[in-house]
Amino acid sequence: MDIQIIIVLAIMAMTIFLLVSELVRIDITAIITMLALYWSGVLTSTETLSGFSSNAVIAMIAVMILGEGLAKTGMMTRFSKWLLGRVGNSKERVLGTLSLSVGTISGVIQNIGAAALFLPSAIDIARRLRISASELIMPLGFMAIIGGSLTMVGSGHLILTNDLLKAADLEEYGLFAVTGVGVALMVSAIIFFTLFGKYFLPQGTGGKLDLTEQEKVMEAFNLKKDILAFSIPQGSPLAGKTVEESGAWSDHSVNILAVRSGKDTSYAPWREAKLEAGSIVALYGDADRVAAFAQNWKLEAGNAESSFPGLDDPDDFGFVEIIVPPRSELVGQSIRQFGMRKRFGVEPVMLFSEGKRVESDFSDREIKSGDTFIIFGSWRNIKKIESSDPFVLATVVEAEIKNSSKTWHAAGSFLLAIVLAMSGFSIAISFFTGALVMVLLKVMSIQEAYRSVEWKVVFLLVGLIPLGIAMQNSGTAQFLAESVMGLIGNSSTLVLLFTVAILATGFSLVMSNVGAVVVLAPLVVGIGLIAGVDPRPLVLLAAINAGNSFVLPTHQVNALMMSAGGYKTSDYFRAGGGMTIVFLLVSVLFFYYFFF
């Protein structure tokens, strides 16, 4: 055995051990691997550093920027709300629908693009369902990989397969030759995760999430989530009166959070704003007091969710605690004199003064230094308070302000990247172009683009790409393939199929999917001819299983999802191990019954 093959095998074993044991961070492991290949003399300096110019790495950076741009517009948040509205709050139904969506789209666009498109939505849905995001993100990534098996253009290694068949003077496959097995794999994966996901997927801290800052505030001050809507019918005595004349605060201790008249909505309406017949009001307070207010003014119950979309959404509105500092201009004034609602568009719902809650209407109460208000409003308006002098914001605002006006700019940039990639241009160039267009269209600043890059993931890929190059250049891949194939001898067709599939799976974990197919295709053709079976489906089976990359986070989709889901390598080893077995069984049996 050549000395270089021994060195590469030793480095590969070390890399897998470090990735699985996590003795050091995965990006450090990758860098150790990269440098070990150079100092051992296996690779030149150019080959060692080739990962920095790799298409996969550049595409990964671009995808992170594109994903952040989509998230900033709130586009995928709106998709999350729509999806939950259609399928309900069942985790299994949500997981199945999300998986089907990302898998289908991955059949026509690059799987890394499909994963990036749905990642913000998966995180948002997990938060809304109060489950760990890790329960959704890993299946999403796996389905993006599997979806690449739906068509012959769904992934790079399948695109290359026809070229390799042509070079061997064999007939090429049509566009939908793999659709059957791709559908079978997708269905199997969805069944696997919906039925057995709880046994394989990381469940966070016992399946429970820590309280968000907003939930901590609501719990600390016993704030209710319910916001009720009522319409003001013709003939209601409330029609024509101002907000203050309604007696909402003084007589009922109820807050009017918003008023909708036609298409116009006013949040935290000014006390002098008039309430007209046909308008809809959003009320907040004790249920009995709200009911008494509605009965007193002969209001008709409505639907708050449809009348005031987003008002009960913690992404858009929320409660915060603000404190009046000693030098505040508000000290010595009342909120009526100060005009809190008119200035900031927020609704004060509670006041604490000298350590006690003020139970009565505090509109005309003189404000003292140290007084604390609990206010409700949009995060955009609350952010204005954060940068103003009269108050000190005591609550951490976690919600990011979405710029929905840039939705079409962001979607167009992402679509441009996809179209360019499908038109035959380099994936890296296509996605990087889309990312640049996002910056030029001011969806995000260049500083925000830089911050969106997860460098741990980038260096994971940068460090492991040279290992695949070393396996090919040193002849290690060829040696392993020939050794394994030599062991099966004149075994049955089923054994041959499993051998090819397992070999392709193993290669996909330590080298690129394309590299695995390049190495295996000519060998598999020869084995097929010797065994007396059609080599074409053998090559296709190897290509399909070159996408069976779930056990380690070495595939670029898994690398992208790893940080977002907070996974460890051991999580991939467990869940990916189960998915790998399912993938092997389904793909091999499908080929055995339908191709041979």
Side-chain angles (χ1 to χ4, degrees):
M1 188 188 303
D2 187 86
I3 185 64
Q4 282 205 336
I5 294 178
I6 296 174
I7 293 172
V8 172
L9 287 174
I11 292 174
M12 183 176 71
M14 175 201 70
T15 302
I16 293 174
F17 170 75
L18 289 177
L19 285 173
V20 173
S21 65
E22 295 184 313
L23 292 178
V24 294
R25 272 180 31 155
I26 57 170
D27 49 338
I28 301 297
T29 295
I31 293 171
I32 291 172
T33 300
M34 178 179 71
L35 293 177
L37 290 168
Y38 173 76
W39 290 114
S40 62
V42 175
L43 296 180
T44 65
S45 60
T46 301
E47 291 169 332
T48 301
L49 300 175
S50 60
F52 286 98
S53 60
S54 163
N55 278 338
V57 171
I58 301 301
M60 174 68 74
I61 292 172
V63 160
M64 290 176 180
I65 295 172
L66 286 167
E68 178 66 15
L70 289 173
K72 283 181 68 64
T73 66
M75 184 176 79
M76 297 313 290
T77 300
R78 292 191 289 276
F79 170 79
S80 304
K81 295 178 185 177
W82 175 85
L83 180 66
L84 291 176
R86 291 300 182 95
V87 303
N89 293 329
S90 165
K91 184 181 74 174
E92 288 72 22
R93 286 202 298 269
V94 168
L95 180 58
T97 305
L98 261 183
S99 298
L100 187 61
S101 301
V102 71
T104 303
I105 289 180
S106 186
V108 292
I109 70 175
Q110 292 297 323
N111 47 33
I112 186 70
L117 179 63
F118 283 89
L119 179 56
S121 216
I123 295 173
D124 184 68
I125 287 173
R127 180 185 57 74
R128 293 173 187 278
L129 294 181
R130 296 298 302 148
I131 62 174
S132 172
S134 60
E135 297 180 54
L136 295 181
I137 292 176
M138 188 180 286
L140 191 74
F142 286 1
M143 289 302 296
I145 296 173
I146 293 171
S149 303
L150 285 175
T151 67
M152 290 296 288
V153 295
S155 54
H157 51 282
L158 284 175
I159 294 173
L160 181 64
T161 301
N162 274 335
D163 291 341
L164 295 173
L165 288 172
K166 188 176 180 181
D169 294 323
L170 296 172
E171 185 182 350
E172 298 176 35
Y173 279 104
L175 178 64
F176 300 106
V178 292
T179 302
V181 66
V183 170
L185 288 169
M186 280 183 59
V187 171
S188 301
I190 292 173
I191 293 173
F192 172 72
F193 282 118
T194 52
L195 295 183
F196 307 106
K198 61 184 177 182
Y199 303 111
F200 289 91
L201 292 170
Q203 303 291 310
T205 54
K208 297 181 181 179
L209 301 181
D210 293 333
L211 293 177
T212 64
E213 286 297 325
Q214 179 62 188
E215 288 166 336
K216 288 176 183 177
V217 171
M218 296 186 72
E219 186 177 89
F221 295 101
N222 196 28
L223 297 165
K224 304 177 186 301
K225 294 182 179 180
D226 298 331
I227 297 173
L228 302 175
F230 292 87
S231 61
I232 304 173
Q234 293 289 341
S236 167
L238 184 59
K241 294 190 178 296
T242 65
V243 169
E244 185 167 26
E245 289 171 343
S246 71
W249 317 307
S250 57
D251 300 334
H252 297 277
S253 298
V254 168
N255 292 92
I256 301 179
L257 300 183
V259 177
R260 179 180 176 183
S261 298
K263 295 183 179 180
D264 298 324
T265 301
S266 172
Y267 297 100
W270 183 39
R271 65 179 62 249
E272 297 301 328
K274 282 200 172 184
L275 302 171
E276 305 291 347
S279 296
I280 303 173
V281 293
L283 303 180
Y284 173 81
D286 182 81
D288 292 336
R289 292 176 176 176
V290 169
F293 178 84
Q295 184 178 9
N296 182 62
W297 295 111
K298 297 181 173 54
L299 306 182
E300 296 177 353
N303 187 301
E305 188 174 344
S306 59
S307 301
F308 303 96
L311 194 62
D312 61 347
D313 190 333
D315 273 341
D316 300 322
F317 291 83
F319 296 92
V320 294
E321 181 183 1
I322 57 174
I323 301 171
V324 180
R327 296 183 181 179
S328 172
E329 63 180 287
L330 182 54
V331 174
Q333 297 188 63
S334 66
I335 60 171
R336 180 196 299 274
Q337 294 169 325
F338 181 73
M340 183 185 290
R341 297 180 181 86
K342 194 172 184 181
R343 285 195 190 191
F344 296 108
V346 296
E347 178 72 12
V349 297
M350 286 185 186
L351 170 63
F352 292 86
S353 183
E354 299 177 336
K356 298 179 181 179
R357 178 179 173 181
V358 179
E359 297 290 347
S360 58
D361 179 21
F362 47 80
S363 299
D364 296 306
R365 182 187 178 91
E366 182 179 316
I367 304 303
K368 301 175 182 178
S369 171
D371 281 359
T372 299
F373 287 94
I374 305 300
I375 62 171
F376 178 88
S378 69
W379 297 123
R380 190 178 300 278
N381 288 343
I382 289 170
K383 282 284 188 181
K384 294 177 185 176
I385 290 179
E386 188 175 26
S387 59
S388 68
D389 294 328
F391 305 101
V392 173
L393 197 60
T395 302
V396 177
V397 178
E398 295 177 320
E400 182 182 353
I401 305 302
K402 309 295 185 184
N403 186 2
S404 58
S405 65
K406 294 291 183 180
T407 297
W408 291 110
H409 299 78
S413 301
F414 196 92
L415 183 61
L416 172 65
I418 298 300
V419 170
L420 289 174
M422 294 182 67
S423 300
F425 293 98
S426 159
I427 296 172
I429 294 296
S430 300
F431 278 73
F432 221 59
T433 300
L436 175 62
V437 171
M438 269 196 184
V439 173
L440 293 176
L441 293 177
K442 298 184 178 180
V443 174
M444 62 199 310
S445 68
I446 189 64
Q447 289 80 10
E448 290 171 325
Y450 290 148
R451 287 196 296 268
S452 69
V453 178
E454 179 60 64
W455 293 106
K456 181 174 76 171
V457 174
V458 171
F459 274 92
L460 172 65
L461 292 179
V462 164
L464 293 183
I465 284 171
L467 180 59
I469 296 173
M471 287 191 66
Q472 285 185 256
N473 291 358
S474 66
T476 305
Q478 189 75 14
F479 167 77
L480 289 173
E482 290 175 351
S483 300
V484 173
M485 288 300 188
L487 292 174
I488 62 173
N490 296 320
S491 301
S492 66
T493 300
L494 193 58
V495 171
L496 176 62
L497 294 179
F498 269 112
T499 303
V500 169
I502 292 171
L503 198 57
T505 298
F507 276 23
S508 74
L509 298 177
V510 292
M511 60 194 302
S512 71
N513 311 113
V514 170
V517 173
V518 169
V519 170
L520 285 174
L523 184 64
V524 167
V525 169
I527 293 293
L529 293 175
I530 293 172
V533 299
D534 187 355
R536 289 177 68 246
L538 276 183
V539 174
L540 191 60
L541 176 64
I544 286 287
N545 278 273
N548 190 3
S549 309
F550 308 112
V551 176
L552 295 173
T554 49
H555 191 285
Q556 54 184 319
V557 170
N558 290 338
L560 175 67
M561 298 300 192
M562 189 172 191
S563 291
Y567 301 119
K568 298 179 180 178
T569 305
S570 55
D571 294 325
Y572 278 95
F573 202 71
R574 183 175 65 254
M579 189 65 249
T580 296
I581 293 172
V582 171
F583 196 107
L584 280 170
L585 288 173
V586 172
S587 62
V588 168
L589 293 177
F590 190 94
F591 270 79
Y592 182 73
Y593 286 108
F594 293 97
F595 284 84
F596 290 92

